[in-house]
Amino acid sequence: MTNEAAAHEPSLENLLHENRSFPPSAEFAAQANGTPDLYADARADRLAFWSRQATELVSWRKPFTEVLDWSQAPVARWFADGTLNACWNAVDRHVVAGHGDRVAIHFEGEPGDTRTLTYADLQREVSRAANALAALGVHTGDRVVIYLPMIPEAVIAMLACARLGAPHSLVFGGFSADALRSRIDDAGARLVITADGGYRRGAATALKPAVDDALAPRDGVESTVEHVLVVRRTGQETAMAEHRDVWWHEATEVADVQHEPVWVEAEHPLFILYTSGTTGKPKGILHTTGGYLTQAAYTHRYVFDLKPETDVYWCTADVGWVTGHTYVTYGPLVNGATQVMYEGTPDTPHQGRWWEIVEKYKVSILYTAPTAIRTCMKWGSEVPAKFDLSSLRVLGSVGEPINPEAWMWYRRVIGGDRCPVVDTWWQTETGAIMISPLPGVTHAKPGSAQVPLPGIVADVIDDEGKPVPDGGGGYLVLTEPWPAMLRGIWGDLERFKDTYWSRFPDIYFAGDGAKKDEDGDVWLLGRVDDVMNVSGHRLSTTEIESALVSHDAVAEAAVVGALDETTGQAVVAFVILRGEAAAALEATGGDQDAIVAQLRDHVGKQIGPIAKPKRILVVPELPKTRSGKIMRRLLRDVAENRAVGDATTLADASVMALISTGLNKPK
Ligand code: WTA
């Protein structure tokens, strides 16, 4: 295509049109933390706005005088001459303010064991843990790797590191010994905190052997780790290496319950979190203290309308992901919230487990991922209907674009048609929520993250870097620095610049496709790597998937572009049917022709002929990463009849075999 032609081609087609809109109820708006003024304030003076958030929501040892230093762009410095401690902000200051008796964490183990930790309990536990870490030689600036199940010690360990100014790096408990070792090596970690095991799907699963394996010399090279602290969770047989391994309970039992936090500068590293992109080695995303805490607390307060005295908040994410960092550990605790923490899987021992937990703790704010919502849709509305969900008042979604039908289901079945749904767009790199409706203010649209939060500046631009008009599609970018932005990739400044700042000069490129609708609201359209080109039209996978999910028979869909001789790429869809439709298909002996024809027609009607999948395959499962994102790359391999590529980051390695077997089944 010539440059001239390219200038007239839309960067991404705008396919779906959504007309439903849900204004906030007068009752909700009257009590909401968010107000239209917040947008006006931020627009009037953005830096003054952030300065106010940092002062009101975070406690400083030494107040800052400078808000933003962007002279070393793209590495920002926020509130740089202030000092503070993240753990003090999350724990001690609430006790000092007289809220020591407030529950910080209601823990629910998968086997049904429970623990309640008040803010005063947390203060004792984090102080003990910080003293224990210091006794094992952890100093300010040392890196600590945390490899734990979803148990309170995970949060306590993170906070104990923060208390010492020792950056933590969490590695999700589902990752292998190799993944663990490469992260330990990259961060040069001095200590690992792990557990004997955890409970998942009704069984005790060992964790410690993976640590032993990870720390064994590789090609004769020792790891940098000196000690391993081991939490006893399951009580299973656990080998302990002499001089290296120490039981958490023994180390903390003898530790003092007083600990003076280390006051660090605002730009002191708080954590490194590795993201495994589609290519290259994982990137160690670096976050620092003051700006990160400010945006974590601000977004948690306004996006979820948090009332710390009365709300019970529950974010279902694992602490091993960024969502667990910002919306299990730092955001809620800095805001003094009461939260639920659940160890296990949503269907252990039954498919209503989550809803049973909502009923039991009277959860009022729920934050989860589209993949979980679609799974619950597949299980059927009867499951949540058995529980009392009337305590809920705000629902959040994160991790992937949420299909409008999944959004509607979430609102209707879980939220009883009364709770605002907030679709929150952000990334490990952004540190905290960037684009989201504000409950009580925004007229919500199913499937759209809608507007940058007050203080955040985002846009959708075309190939040439020009903002697209309303109704147009292109690339999502962030055009002004924000407090919780990543400060780099650990040890690799060049890669940081290359990855995020080189596609469009001086603008942060998020890697996501997006469009603006007629009102200027933002719709996320998936990773740009997944965009398809069909007969010269750039189509997003998201909109075709949403069209498929809007059919009664479909619970989940994944769309990929497969090489095609005539159209360049052809749309190939993989769908999972809902309970009833799956049973009906079974009854016909698995003959997919009828349902496939219906679904193709449906997409044709919803979007137009261009988007009609050339092939639709009914499958029992979809390949997902451990954080629940669909791995379209592997489906492209199947659609193009190639051997399936590297599937090591799949949550369930057997899924690809299931899909391929399903395809080969004789008709
Ligand atoms: C995707 C998770 C659409 C997006 C917090 C982003 C979303 C990537 C949404 C970051 C959303 C996250 N709508 N897409 N509400 N939230 N994403 O680093 O592609 O695990 O770039 O952070 O998830 O994933 P990460």
Side-chain angles (χ1 to χ4, degrees):
M1 199 187 300
T2 65
N3 276 344
E4 203 185 330
H8 300 292
E9 287 290 333
S11 299
L12 206 54
E13 301 276 336
N14 178 3
L15 299 177
L16 269 184
H17 294 273
E18 176 61 62
N19 298 318
R20 290 168 292 194
S21 170
F22 297 86
S25 73
E27 204 186 335
F28 194 102
Q31 60 81 63
N33 293 344
T35 57
D37 288 350
L38 217 53
Y39 293 97
D41 287 356
R43 256 196 304 269
D45 188 341
R46 214 173 70 83
L47 294 186
F49 173 84
W50 280 119
S51 167
R52 221 162 28 248
Q53 303 309 324
T55 314
E56 284 171 13
L57 302 174
V58 173
S59 298
W60 299 80
R61 184 68 168 185
K62 176 172 158 263
F64 57 88
T65 59
E66 184 181 31
V67 182
L68 169 67
D69 172 3
W70 191 229
S71 63
Q72 292 160 56
V75 181
R77 291 168 61 78
W78 282 87
F79 317 120
D81 61 345
T83 66
L84 75 171
N85 181 276
C87 180
W88 167 272
N89 269 278
V91 182
D92 305 62
R93 65 173 183 150
H94 304 307
V95 180
V96 172
H99 306 310
D101 291 341
R102 186 183 295 164
V103 173
I105 298 176
H106 288 292
F107 171 71
E108 173 96 7
E110 198 189 74
D113 59 317
T114 60
R115 252 172 96 186
T116 309
L117 286 148
T118 63
Y119 277 92
D121 294 334
L122 257 192
Q123 188 184 33
R124 254 192 323 276
E125 297 300 323
V126 295
S127 300
R128 278 201 175 116
N131 281 318
L133 289 175
L136 288 169
V138 175
H139 300 111
T140 304
D142 289 343
R143 276 82 60 206
V144 174
V145 161
I146 299 177
Y147 184 65
L148 281 171
M150 271 301 275
I151 55 176
E153 282 79 4
V155 171
I156 295 167
M158 291 165 85
L159 293 172
C161 290
R163 203 173 180 86
L164 294 168
H168 53 69
S169 181
L170 274 88
V171 178
F172 174 59
F175 277 134
S176 66
D178 285 349
L180 179 59
R181 174 64 181 253
S182 66
R183 286 157 176 77
I184 289 171
D185 286 349
D186 190 77
R190 180 157 217 176
L191 185 124
V192 175
I193 306 177
T194 187
D196 50 358
Y199 293 97
R200 265 197 108 61
R201 300 189 196 287
T205 323
L207 263 188
K208 175 67 168 42
V211 177
D212 295 335
D213 187 358
L215 298 187
R218 305 254 153 148
D219 302 325
V221 181
E222 296 284 345
S223 85
T224 48
V225 170
E226 290 162 18
H227 290 291
V228 180
L229 255 181
V230 188
V231 177
R232 183 177 274 161
R233 166 65 183 137
T234 59
Q236 63 203 113
E237 258 313 298
T238 301
M240 297 287 279
E242 216 180 330
H243 308 304
R244 190 194 71 186
D245 301 350
V246 181
W247 285 107
W248 169 280
H249 60 271
E250 289 177 2
T252 52
E253 231 163 48
V254 298
D256 196 346
V257 297
Q258 309 273 339
H259 180 272
E260 172 70 11
V262 176
W263 306 103
V264 297
E265 291 177 350
E267 286 300 334
H268 188 78
L270 180 60
F271 65 86
I272 304 165
L273 184 59
Y274 287 85
T275 64
S276 30
T278 39
T279 52
K281 71 170 188 154
K283 302 188 277 283
I285 304 300
L286 172 66
H287 283 287
T288 57
T289 310
Y292 171 80
L293 285 191
T294 299
Q295 200 178 328
Y298 159 73
T299 52
H300 184 257
R301 177 177 153 76
Y302 289 101
V303 173
F304 300 114
D305 190 46
L306 178 81
K307 308 288 192 292
E309 305 79 17
T310 47
D311 274 316
V312 179
Y313 163 86
W314 182 21
C315 167
T316 64
D318 191 282
V319 281
W321 309 121
V322 76
T323 308
H325 283 58
T326 311
Y327 299 105
V328 175
T329 301
Y330 293 107
L333 295 178
V334 168
N335 285 338
T338 294
Q339 70 177 315
V340 170
M341 179 177 195
Y342 171 57
E343 177 185 30
T345 42
D347 53 349
T348 308
H350 57 81
Q351 293 178 342
R353 183 69 187 271
W354 272 16
W355 317 118
E356 188 176 70
I357 292 173
V358 168
E359 177 179 291
K360 176 173 173 186
Y361 294 101
K362 301 200 164 35
V363 171
S364 55
I365 304 170
L366 179 69
Y367 191 29
T368 191
T371 175
I373 298 165
R374 291 186 305 249
T375 302
C376 293
M377 280 170 72
K378 182 171 66 182
W379 291 338
S381 312
E382 340 49 276
V383 180
K386 292 192 202 106
F387 300 90
D388 178 4
L389 307 181
S390 61
S391 54
L392 288 170
R393 60 180 207 93
V394 179
L395 302 176
S397 170
V398 61
E400 280 183 295
I402 179 166
N403 322 100
E405 269 343 289
W407 192 103
M408 290 297 293
W409 188 92
Y410 195 29
R411 181 181 155 97
R412 184 171 52 80
V413 178
I414 305 304
D417 257 333
R418 83 187 166 269
C419 306
V421 174
V422 287
D423 173 14
T424 63
W425 178 89
W426 59 294
Q427 310 177 293
T428 305
E429 292 86 342
T430 68
I433 298 172
M434 303 291 283
I435 304 181
S436 166
L438 278 188
V441 181
T442 315
H443 290 225
K445 289 178 189 170
S448 172
Q450 296 188 282
V451 273
L453 289 178
I456 300 298
V457 190
D459 208 341
V460 181
I461 62 179
D462 64 17
D463 286 298
E464 265 112 69
K466 292 199 197 68
V468 304
D470 289 351
Y475 310 98
L476 181 73
V477 293
L478 302 165
T479 49
E480 294 289 345
W482 62 100
M485 70 195 294
L486 75 165
R487 301 301 198 262
I489 294 175
W490 184 253
D492 202 342
L493 186 63
E494 281 314 304
R495 192 172 176 205
F496 169 57
K497 292 180 177 166
D498 256 25
T499 311
Y500 306 104
W501 303 91
S502 63
R503 175 72 178 77
F504 303 102
D506 302 327
I507 292 181
Y508 177 88
F509 174 44
D512 284 340
K515 71 177 187 191
K516 292 183 203 161
D517 68 13
E518 292 69 19
D519 304 322
D521 281 329
V522 175
W523 293 70
L524 274 304
L525 299 177
R527 305 293 296 167
V528 290
D529 308 341
D530 291 331
V531 167
M532 302 169 290
N533 193 325
V534 181
S535 308
H537 296 273
R538 313 256 293 263
L539 308 181
S540 94
T541 54
T542 303
E543 293 188 299
I544 303 176
E545 287 162 6
S546 288
L548 286 162
V549 175
S550 74
H551 190 281
D552 284 346
V554 177
E556 286 212 68
V559 162
V560 298
L563 283 179
D564 187 276
E565 281 180 4
T566 41
T567 54
Q569 281 187 314
V571 179
V572 178
F574 296 78
V575 300
I576 301 182
L577 298 182
R578 292 209 208 186
E580 259 178 42
L585 181 65
E586 192 80 8
T588 64
D591 183 355
Q592 301 187 1
D593 290 355
I595 184 75
V596 165
Q598 272 182 37
L599 293 178
R600 292 191 68 237
D601 273 358
H602 181 75
V603 174
K605 281 201 204 91
Q606 293 279 306
I607 298 181
I610 179 77
K612 265 193 186 181
K614 184 160 186 190
R615 287 164 73 201
I616 298 183
L617 307 156
V618 177
V619 292
E621 277 303 334
L622 290 172
K624 293 192 184 144
T625 63
R626 290 179 172 85
S627 64
K629 294 187 208 298
I630 297 170
M631 287 184 78
R632 292 182 186 74
R633 171 173 63 81
L634 299 180
L635 293 174
R636 241 173 349 247
D637 290 341
V638 172
E640 295 181 347
N641 302 316
R642 256 196 314 275
V644 172
D646 182 7
T648 47
T649 57
L650 274 187
D652 178 355
S654 62
V655 165
M656 288 317 294
L658 264 180
I659 292 172
S660 312
T661 329
L663 297 185
N664 297 334
K665 237 199 295 196
K667 275 212 195 137

